[in-house]
Amino acid sequence: MFGTVVVGVGIAGLARIRDLMNPMPSSPSEHLKLLGFVSRRSFGNINEAKQISLEDALRSKEIQAAFISTENRSHEETIRMFLESGKHVLVEYPMALSAKAAHELWEMAEKKDKVLHVEHIELLTEEYKQLKKEVAGKDLVKGTLHFTGSVLDENKTGFPAFSGIARLTWLIDLFGDLTVTSATREKQKDKNYSRMTVHFQTANK
């Protein structure tokens, strides 16, 4: 069994705890053992999972891997700490708020001989797999992807593009490398409204 810890207990972290405590039969999760969770807030226990301090999680010889589900801005620092402690890391996207930091973390994981995996669960859904089948072998002429959500705290999530990075991952997975040709942003503070529009071009234009 592989000892694991979940860091952060928002929506994603709670889902991780649930899935680790009740793994699907014959799934890889059956080989993972949840040894605790870390949170700035005081919970005590969540179901049968016990709260432990970050320091204990980093020091523990029984914990071999960390699932990081905190706000975007803290991903980089938390990944570094767990890699330095000799643990494998799975982190919710995005890994960091800059490409430079992300490359440094990949290099660090390689030097430590540890797995650093950025999770994008949507790419594993049946709906997405079906979409990928439908576009296979076809040429993209033009397309639009539109999505909405609540206004995010940029201090925690980073620049607005990061709230849409999951969809960018979709497009790259479906159509290959993309080049940004233009990007605009509209803000209406009085209406608590923000909109970002980005145009991309595929390798074959």
Side-chain angles (χ1 to χ4, degrees):
M1 296 292 281
F2 224 59
T4 63
V5 63
V6 172
V7 184
V9 288
I11 294 171
L14 288 171
R16 292 281 177 205
I17 291 172
R18 179 199 66 209
D19 293 345
L20 286 166
M21 294 187 73
N22 302 285
M24 294 283 288
S26 302
S27 72
S29 296
E30 284 194 314
H31 302 288
L32 302 175
K33 182 179 182 183
L34 181 64
L35 297 176
F37 67 89
V38 173
S39 176
R40 291 187 300 266
R41 294 171 289 169
S42 181
F43 286 95
N45 287 2
I46 295 177
N47 297 328
E48 294 173 22
K50 65 177 180 177
Q51 185 165 1
I52 61 176
S53 69
L54 177 61
E55 294 73 21
D56 286 346
L58 292 168
R59 280 196 303 260
S60 173
K61 296 285 192 290
E62 293 181 317
I63 293 173
Q64 287 98 30
F67 289 73
I68 299 173
S69 304
T70 56
E71 65 273 5
N72 294 347
R73 69 175 176 181
S74 68
H75 286 182
E76 179 185 345
E77 181 186 2
T78 311
I79 291 169
R80 285 186 194 280
M81 288 190 290
F82 278 97
L83 286 177
E84 283 170 0
S85 297
K87 304 188 191 305
H88 303 287
V89 175
L90 178 147
V91 61
E92 307 288 345
Y93 60 79
M95 178 163 53
L97 297 185
S98 75
K100 180 176 180 288
H103 286 293
E104 287 173 1
L105 292 170
W106 286 124
E107 288 169 14
M108 184 178 180
E110 200 166 314
K111 284 177 185 171
K112 295 276 187 182
D113 197 26
K114 297 299 170 189
V115 173
L116 172 54
H117 172 69
V118 184
E119 181 78 321
H120 186 358
I121 199 72
E122 291 174 357
L123 299 184
L124 304 176
T125 63
E126 291 307 315
E127 292 87 346
Y128 181 80
K129 289 176 185 175
Q130 183 59 38
L131 175 62
K132 194 163 184 177
K133 281 181 189 173
E134 288 174 15
V135 303
K138 296 178 182 173
D139 290 326
L140 175 66
V141 178
K142 189 175 182 181
T144 301
L145 184 62
H146 178 227
F147 64 98
T148 60
S150 58
V151 178
L152 301 173
D153 180 348
E154 289 184 32
N155 290 324
K156 292 182 178 179
T157 60
F159 189 67
F162 279 96
S163 64
I165 204 165
R167 275 66 188 185
L168 178 56
T169 310
W170 279 30
L171 294 176
I172 291 171
D173 188 57
L174 291 169
F175 304 112
D177 287 344
L178 302 170
T179 302
V180 178
T181 58
S182 68
T184 57
R185 185 180 180 193
E186 175 191 351
K187 285 183 82 173
Q188 296 178 23
K189 282 191 174 178
D190 56 326
K191 295 181 180 175
N192 204 26
Y193 174 83
S194 177
R195 171 181 173 141
M196 174 170 271
T197 304
V198 186
H199 293 100
F200 299 102
Q201 197 169 62
T202 60
N204 63 1
K205 312 293 184 190

